[in-house]
Amino acid sequence: MFGARCLLRALRSCSSAPCPRHKPSAKLSVRDALGAQNASGERVNVQGWIRSVRSQKEVLFLHVNDGSSLESLQVVADSSFVSRELAFGSSVEVQGQLVKSLSKRQNVELKAEKIEVVGNCDARAFPFKYKERHPLEYLRQYPHLRCRTNVLGSILRVRSEATAAIHSFFKDRGFVHIHTPVITSNDCEGAGELFQVKPSSKIKVSEENFFNVPVFLTVSGQLHLEVMSGAFTQVFTFGPTFRAENSQSRRHLAEFYMVEAEISFLESLQDLMQVMEGLFKTTTMTVLSNCPEDVELCHKFIAPGQKDRLEHMLKNNFLIISYTEAVEILKQASQNFTFTPKWGADLHTEHEKYLVRHCGDVPVFVINYPLALKPFYMRDNEDSPQHTVAAVDLLVPGVGELFGGSLREERYHFLEQRLARSGLTEAYQWYLDLRRFGSVPHGGFGMGFERYLQCILGIDNIKDVIPFPRFTHSCLL
Amino acid sequence: MFGARCLLRALRSCSSAPCPRHKPSAKLSVRDALGAQNASGERVNVQGWIRSVRSQKEVLFLHVNDGSSLESLQVVADSSFVSRELAFGSSVEVQGQLVKSLSKRQNVELKAEKIEVVGNCDARAFPFKYKERHPLEYLRQYPHLRCRTNVLGSILRVRSEATAAIHSFFKDRGFVHIHTPVITSNDCEGAGELFQVKPSSKIKVSEENFFNVPVFLTVSGQLHLEVMSGAFTQVFTFGPTFRAENSQSRRHLAEFYMVEAEISFLESLQDLMQVMEGLFKTTTMTVLSNCPEDVELCHKFIAPGQKDRLEHMLKNNFLIISYTEAVEILKQASQNFTFTPKWGADLHTEHEKYLVRHCGDVPVFVINYPLALKPFYMRDNEDSPQHTVAAVDLLVPGVGELFGGSLREERYHFLEQRLARSGLTEAYQWYLDLRRFGSVPHGGFGMGFERYLQCILGIDNIKDVIPFPRFTHSCLL
């Protein structure tokens, strides 16, 4: 049944050199080929896309990349292989011998015995040009192709490594992973910026009745994690969350990823902040150690100076200031703010930036916010007359708010009163139940994953650290 | 600032025995306490919920569970500790000495020196009764509490382990993890069972204009993964997918998780099936080795016989039959089917069940389905007069279809014609582009994660293997 196909592949081959008889060659990724110790003529088979072509009098040089690493594999062939089809963007399969390279630029290279063009690339229509470094804004227009560039390749490999590192961080510490729901009948933050979900008009169930209640896309898995922390003590989730914010900001998306954790028997914000700092530092160290070239590409070409800034964050302890102290610092600032700093008012981006700079460009935890600013579930500090809650935000250089967290109100009567005041008692009976049946002090946090990537890589626009960005007026693909 | 709180905790303590002076005790999870080798009186501090209370003349026995393992830790205290507050469901903190147990039922136990009730449990209102084994249907009514039972605890720990094992499987083989989008303007399958997404009515952006196009919840990340396999060669995603199916079946949910992979330079269904079988077997072996007690609980109390059935699946090679062979087998069956088997018609659940039984209750791959039954992106086998595509479904005992996959049509002109016939050419220009610029033979698959859990654990209803099930007429919490 695959006969016709094999024939087609054979016809597509552009090799004109006679192919010596040899044992079948091993299929190798570019990464594995590059990492081969003491290459000494092993026969291998490498597949990928051509990143560059250079033809000299007697020799043809190709660079072949398969996305397994930033670096490409140099293929060396004699000039009989030269063909118009061997062009930037074409996919190829190369058989040959892996040998030590004479050049200092690479350790190994592939001496080609057979080169097959698998798929041509229509160079005139291809939006990326050979040897050109396109700006990120330009690449954003081609969400189906930009991953083939060096820079997006590196960013998305880092994203994949960071994802794995985050899972490991929690698993190593005994957290249970929970898939919190995407469709929910709750509105965790009490905010209005929700997406509503309905069956599309083609569905036979009457629209109002699919779930019997109005449902939305989740803005946070926190309340569902609290359910689970009441059984497993330490839990985390890492999934998509949504805001229907009409924002064109470089820090907001309609669909973004959050890492959220919830911990039972947690007594203080100090304990919570320790986990937050640990998550940031451990994940970052793992990423730096597992894909140094990818991180370096970003630091070198996109965010000069970012390497030092990141090292500075990693080697220093994060600072802790109270909201009250933060407001005092802002009041004493010589800078003129658009929003005048005032106790009881929210901190704005301009304030966050100033605070981070003021603290020496080290991440800074701001704790104990006014109760009136925060949602019902945050734990009352009972510190009248100020009246604050045990909330914590982590502000980081370049990005601003990266984490938000709090101790949760575990005391039934405190929570009951707060819910009653917000008119939410009926909707949150189940949440009150968690305090009726073996309640425990607990707390948790959420970290914006895209902002984390922006922070470590120095990427200015959040749209460049997610494979397919969704934001106001844009949902490509 | 936490002064008031510490006082409160002290008052809540029900210990009446004098507390001997000693160095601060180490906080230990129940799992770590149970795993302590050669326990010989170390002072530890364990927190959790009371699973059972037994009071004898001189001694009080408690079993404390914190969700880190199925097994609870036995706490032994003298009768002075007896208190009405030490009841089923209450949360406690116990300080004491970890010692070898005299009983054969456990290796270690905790000799209590101090027991503090952290939160009481209102036993009359608590829906689960001490020592009673509630049916899964009953537990489903309490999505915020059912995770506190042994059975849901075990299932969700297995789910967490399986999630980690799946990530490891792909990472170990060099796959790049991709977050494919949840909100999409595509409709991958061409099916009509979609959820539509709009900003809730409170949002100021006019409803039609938020994304400028109608958007839906994803039914599959495949097309987006194909974009990425064109850069990274091997990619996978593991996230939520959605169907607005009006179904009350024990195998369908409106929101469920899919593991999807896409592989470039893949030449045959055989290579694809090898990855599928590898994923199933490797993940299952890891789960069996990392949480044997949790799996055993399900096999023992919920699905007797499942242990043997699973071993049978693991030790045998999965079978491969063609769709055409499958139809012949069904035609020759002595069984009467509701839907008469016929070449060109879909296989129904009754057919799938028969085929799996016929093949000796081993998972069976069915390959090469009629082109007319399958979506535009599946690779044409060019085997007229039958005209099939290189599609593959994996059928497993008890569950039916677990995986679906195919080679994708990588040939520009074939794909162009298929799209034109479906009137989709304009919408899928970007997808055609992938074939214009360095196209490669490739293929991929999706595995329903909840069905996978049903299959290995022997859980009959899909609603019991996901933390918060969403289905027609139900979206609790």
Side-chain angles (χ1 to χ4, degrees):
Chain A
M1 118 200 179
F2 295 113
R5 190 168 184 198
C6 295
L7 182 65
L8 201 74
R9 293 290 304 273
L11 288 173
R12 262 189 276 164
S13 165
C14 71
S15 161
S16 55
C19 183
R21 289 195 177 204
H22 51 70
K23 54 181 180 174
S25 48
K27 201 168 152 173
L28 223 57
S29 73
V30 166
R31 186 193 181 91
D32 289 342
L34 291 170
Q37 302 293 327
N38 308 318
S40 55
E42 302 85 348
R43 286 232 151 60
V44 300
N45 185 328
V46 172
Q47 300 163 316
W49 291 267
I50 295 178
R51 283 291 171 85
S52 81
V53 190
R54 194 158 44 94
S55 177
Q56 287 181 353
K57 213 188 274 180
E58 307 275 291
V59 200
L60 173 73
F61 294 100
L62 299 178
H63 280 98
V64 175
N65 190 288
D66 65 358
S68 59
S69 70
L70 172 62
E71 203 184 333
S72 298
L73 179 66
Q74 174 157 295
V75 172
V76 186
D78 69 58
S79 54
S80 68
F81 282 96
V82 173
S83 147
R84 196 183 294 173
E85 284 189 306
L86 289 177
F88 177 59
S90 302
S91 49
V92 290
E93 180 170 340
V94 185
Q95 275 179 41
Q97 286 180 285
L98 210 57
V99 295
K100 274 195 180 158
S101 177
L102 299 176
S103 159
K104 280 178 193 159
R105 287 200 210 146
Q106 60 268 326
N107 289 323
V108 296
E109 58 189 25
L110 182 58
K111 228 175 108 185
E113 289 165 349
K114 190 178 170 195
I115 305 179
E116 185 187 349
V117 173
V118 177
N120 292 313
C121 182
D122 179 348
R124 281 165 310 175
F126 197 52
F128 311 142
K129 299 307 164 203
Y130 181 36
K131 284 196 173 171
E132 213 165 294
R133 197 180 298 146
H134 303 281
L136 290 169
E137 299 75 35
Y138 176 79
L139 298 181
R140 238 174 268 151
Q141 299 172 65
Y142 305 97
H144 60 309
L145 298 171
R146 66 172 183 167
C147 51
R148 301 185 186 192
T149 62
N150 275 343
V151 59
L152 260 291
S154 283
I155 293 172
L156 294 178
R157 271 190 301 273
V158 167
R159 187 178 169 110
S160 172
E161 275 297 334
T163 300
I166 287 166
H167 277 274
S168 297
F169 175 87
F170 287 113
K171 188 167 166 50
D172 292 348
R173 284 155 187 79
F175 283 68
V176 173
H177 177 271
I178 300 292
H179 285 118
T180 51
V182 170
I183 298 177
T184 173
S185 47
N186 285 319
D187 164 10
C188 173
E189 304 276 340
E193 288 152 346
L194 292 171
F195 286 108
Q196 192 157 4
V197 176
K198 290 177 177 176
S200 84
S201 45
K202 295 174 202 161
I203 311 293
K204 282 165 201 157
V205 187
S206 94
E207 282 206 13
E208 305 312 317
N209 283 334
F210 193 91
F211 289 114
N212 290 13
V213 288
V215 297
F216 308 93
L217 294 182
T218 184
V219 296
S220 159
Q222 178 203 319
L223 302 191
H224 298 97
L225 276 191
E226 283 189 68
V227 165
M228 294 296 161
S229 72
F232 301 108
T233 304
Q234 299 187 111
V235 289
F236 80 106
T237 191
F238 183 177
T241 46
F242 306 84
R243 298 285 151 81
E245 271 176 296
N246 187 4
S247 161
Q248 291 286 347
S249 124
R250 61 176 191 85
R251 301 189 310 153
H252 292 87
L253 288 169
E255 172 176 331
F256 59 100
Y257 278 75
M258 275 236 278
V259 179
E260 294 180 272
E262 201 69 30
I263 304 167
S264 283
F265 300 102
L266 184 105
E267 302 267 346
S268 74
L269 279 183
Q270 273 67 24
D271 291 344
L272 194 62
M273 289 187 280
Q274 216 167 21
V275 183
M276 292 156 83
E277 188 167 339
L279 174 64
F280 182 94
K281 289 185 172 174
T282 307
T283 304
T284 307
M285 300 300 278
T286 307
V287 168
L288 287 174
S289 127
N290 287 3
C291 38
E293 302 87 2
D294 291 315
V295 176
E296 196 194 348
L297 179 89
C298 297
H299 286 181
K300 210 164 156 186
F301 294 113
I302 298 177
Q306 184 65 15
K307 187 176 191 292
D308 294 339
R309 284 194 289 272
L310 187 60
E311 268 171 20
H312 184 64
M313 291 188 233
L314 290 174
K315 76 174 182 224
N316 286 290
N317 287 328
F318 294 3
L319 296 180
I320 306 174
I321 59 174
S322 72
Y323 167 86
T324 305
E325 286 165 338
V327 172
E328 281 311 308
I329 291 168
L330 294 169
K331 277 182 177 170
Q332 283 162 29
S334 55
Q335 187 177 323
N336 280 326
F337 295 111
T338 312
F339 297 90
T340 311
K342 197 176 75 177
W343 204 99
D346 254 328
L347 298 181
H348 288 265
T349 308
E350 54 177 350
H351 303 141
E352 294 174 354
K353 276 188 183 169
Y354 182 87
L355 289 169
V356 171
R357 270 204 315 278
H358 178 88
C359 294
D361 283 318
V362 163
V364 54
F365 290 110
V366 181
I367 62 173
N368 298 334
Y369 284 74
L371 178 135
L373 287 180
K374 294 291 186 182
F376 66 85
Y377 50 73
M378 293 196 177
R379 195 173 198 278
D380 194 337
N381 279 330
E382 296 177 89
D383 55 352
S384 57
Q386 288 200 322
H387 215 177
T388 64
V389 288
V392 54
D393 281 353
L394 178 68
L395 311 179
V396 297
V399 169
E401 188 193 335
L402 178 63
F403 284 78
S406 78
L407 300 185
R408 319 304 189 187
E409 187 55 81
E410 90 280 13
R411 297 162 295 184
Y412 186 87
H413 294 294
F414 278 77
L415 184 62
E416 197 182 28
Q417 282 171 27
R418 295 269 286 282
L419 284 169
R421 238 174 281 149
S422 318
L424 294 170
T425 309
E426 203 181 334
Y428 288 94
Q429 271 305 320
W430 66 269
Y431 190 67
L432 272 168
D433 270 2
L434 305 179
R435 278 70 177 169
R436 277 212 291 176
F437 307 123
S439 184
V440 297
H442 64 290
F445 62 81
M447 176 183 85
F449 182 53
E450 282 76 20
R451 288 191 182 177
Y452 166 75
L453 293 173
Q454 285 186 274
C455 173
I456 63 165
L457 295 178
I459 305 290
D460 195 52
N461 197 310
I462 197 168
K463 299 176 185 76
D464 299 322
V465 296
I466 190 166
F468 300 95
R470 275 80 180 89
F471 51 97
T472 333
H473 304 307
S474 179
C475 182
L476 298 178
L477 274 56
Chain B
M1 115 200 183
F2 294 111
R5 188 165 185 199
C6 293
L7 183 65
L8 201 76
R9 293 289 305 271
L11 288 172
R12 262 188 277 166
S13 166
C14 71
S15 162
S16 55
C19 183
R21 291 193 176 205
H22 51 66
K23 53 180 181 177
S25 49
K27 200 168 152 174
L28 223 58
S29 73
V30 166
R31 186 193 181 91
D32 288 343
L34 290 170
Q37 303 293 327
N38 309 316
S40 56
E42 303 83 348
R43 285 229 152 62
V44 299
N45 185 330
V46 172
Q47 301 163 314
W49 291 267
I50 294 178
R51 284 290 172 85
S52 82
V53 190
R54 196 156 45 92
S55 177
Q56 286 181 357
K57 212 189 274 177
E58 305 275 293
V59 200
L60 173 72
F61 294 99
L62 300 178
H63 280 97
V64 175
N65 190 288
D66 65 357
S68 59
S69 70
L70 172 63
E71 204 184 332
S72 298
L73 178 67
Q74 175 156 294
V75 173
V76 187
D78 69 55
S79 54
S80 68
F81 283 94
V82 172
S83 148
R84 196 183 294 174
E85 284 188 305
L86 288 177
F88 177 59
S90 302
S91 49
V92 289
E93 180 168 338
V94 186
Q95 274 177 44
Q97 288 181 284
L98 210 58
V99 296
K100 274 194 180 160
S101 176
L102 298 175
S103 159
K104 281 179 195 156
R105 285 200 215 147
Q106 61 268 328
N107 289 321
V108 295
E109 58 189 26
L110 182 58
K111 228 176 110 184
E113 287 165 350
K114 190 176 171 199
I115 304 178
E116 184 188 347
V117 173
V118 177
N120 293 312
C121 181
D122 179 350
R124 278 167 311 175
F126 197 54
F128 312 143
K129 300 305 164 205
Y130 182 37
K131 283 192 172 172
E132 212 165 291
R133 196 180 299 145
H134 303 281
L136 289 169
E137 298 74 34
Y138 176 80
L139 298 181
R140 239 173 269 152
Q141 298 172 68
Y142 305 97
H144 60 310
L145 298 171
R146 67 172 180 165
C147 50
R148 301 185 185 192
T149 62
N150 275 344
V151 59
L152 261 291
S154 283
I155 293 173
L156 293 179
R157 270 189 302 274
V158 166
R159 187 179 169 109
S160 172
E161 276 296 336
T163 301
I166 288 166
H167 276 275
S168 296
F169 175 86
F170 286 113
K171 189 167 165 48
D172 292 348
R173 283 156 187 80
F175 282 68
V176 173
H177 177 272
I178 299 293
H179 284 119
T180 51
V182 171
I183 299 178
T184 174
S185 46
N186 285 318
D187 163 10
C188 176
E189 304 277 342
E193 287 151 345
L194 292 171
F195 286 109
Q196 193 159 2
V197 176
K198 289 177 179 177
S200 86
S201 46
K202 295 173 202 162
I203 311 293
K204 282 164 203 160
V205 188
S206 95
E207 283 208 11
E208 306 311 320
N209 284 335
F210 194 91
F211 289 114
N212 291 12
V213 287
V215 298
F216 308 94
L217 295 181
T218 184
V219 297
S220 159
Q222 179 203 320
L223 302 192
H224 297 96
L225 275 191
E226 283 188 69
V227 165
M228 294 296 162
S229 72
F232 301 108
T233 305
Q234 297 188 110
V235 290
F236 81 106
T237 191
F238 183 176
T241 46
F242 306 84
R243 300 284 151 83
E245 271 176 296
N246 187 5
S247 162
Q248 292 286 350
S249 126
R250 60 174 193 83
R251 301 190 308 151
H252 292 88
L253 288 169
E255 173 177 330
F256 59 100
Y257 278 74
M258 274 234 279
V259 179
E260 295 180 271
E262 200 69 30
I263 304 168
S264 282
F265 300 102
L266 185 107
E267 303 266 346
S268 74
L269 278 182
Q270 273 67 23
D271 290 345
L272 193 63
M273 290 186 281
Q274 215 168 20
V275 182
M276 293 156 84
E277 186 166 340
L279 174 64
F280 182 94
K281 289 186 171 173
T282 307
T283 304
T284 307
M285 299 299 278
T286 307
V287 168
L288 288 173
S289 127
N290 287 3
C291 38
E293 303 87 1
D294 291 315
V295 175
E296 196 194 349
L297 177 91
C298 297
H299 287 179
K300 208 164 158 186
F301 294 112
I302 298 177
Q306 184 66 15
K307 189 176 189 292
D308 296 338
R309 284 192 290 271
L310 187 59
E311 267 170 20
H312 184 64
M313 290 188 235
L314 289 175
K315 77 173 182 225
N316 286 290
N317 287 328
F318 294 3
L319 296 180
I320 305 173
I321 59 173
S322 71
Y323 167 87
T324 304
E325 286 165 340
V327 172
E328 281 312 306
I329 292 167
L330 294 169
K331 278 182 175 170
Q332 283 161 28
S334 56
Q335 188 177 322
N336 281 325
F337 296 111
T338 313
F339 296 91
T340 310
K342 197 176 76 176
W343 204 98
D346 254 329
L347 298 181
H348 288 265
T349 308
E350 55 177 350
H351 304 141
E352 294 174 353
K353 277 189 182 164
Y354 182 86
L355 288 169
V356 170
R357 271 204 315 280
H358 177 90
C359 294
D361 282 317
V362 163
V364 53
F365 289 110
V366 181
I367 62 172
N368 298 334
Y369 285 74
L371 178 136
L373 287 180
K374 294 291 184 182
F376 65 84
Y377 49 74
M378 293 196 175
R379 195 175 199 279
D380 192 337
N381 280 330
E382 297 177 89
D383 55 350
S384 56
Q386 289 199 322
H387 214 179
T388 65
V389 287
V392 54
D393 280 353
L394 178 68
L395 311 179
V396 297
V399 169
E401 188 192 337
L402 179 62
F403 284 77
S406 79
L407 302 185
R408 319 306 187 187
E409 187 54 81
E410 89 281 10
R411 295 163 296 184
Y412 186 88
H413 295 293
F414 279 77
L415 184 62
E416 196 182 27
Q417 283 171 28
R418 296 270 284 284
L419 285 169
R421 239 173 281 149
S422 316
L424 294 170
T425 309
E426 203 183 334
Y428 287 92
Q429 272 305 319
W430 67 269
Y431 190 67
L432 271 170
D433 270 3
L434 304 179
R435 279 71 179 168
R436 275 211 292 173
F437 306 123
S439 183
V440 297
H442 65 289
F445 62 81
M447 177 183 85
F449 183 53
E450 282 76 20
R451 288 192 184 177
Y452 166 76
L453 294 173
Q454 285 186 274
C455 174
I456 63 164
L457 295 178
I459 304 291
D460 195 51
N461 197 311
I462 197 167
K463 300 178 184 72
D464 299 323
V465 295
I466 190 166
F468 301 95
R470 275 82 182 88
F471 50 96
T472 332
H473 304 307
S474 179
C475 182
L476 298 178
L477 275 55

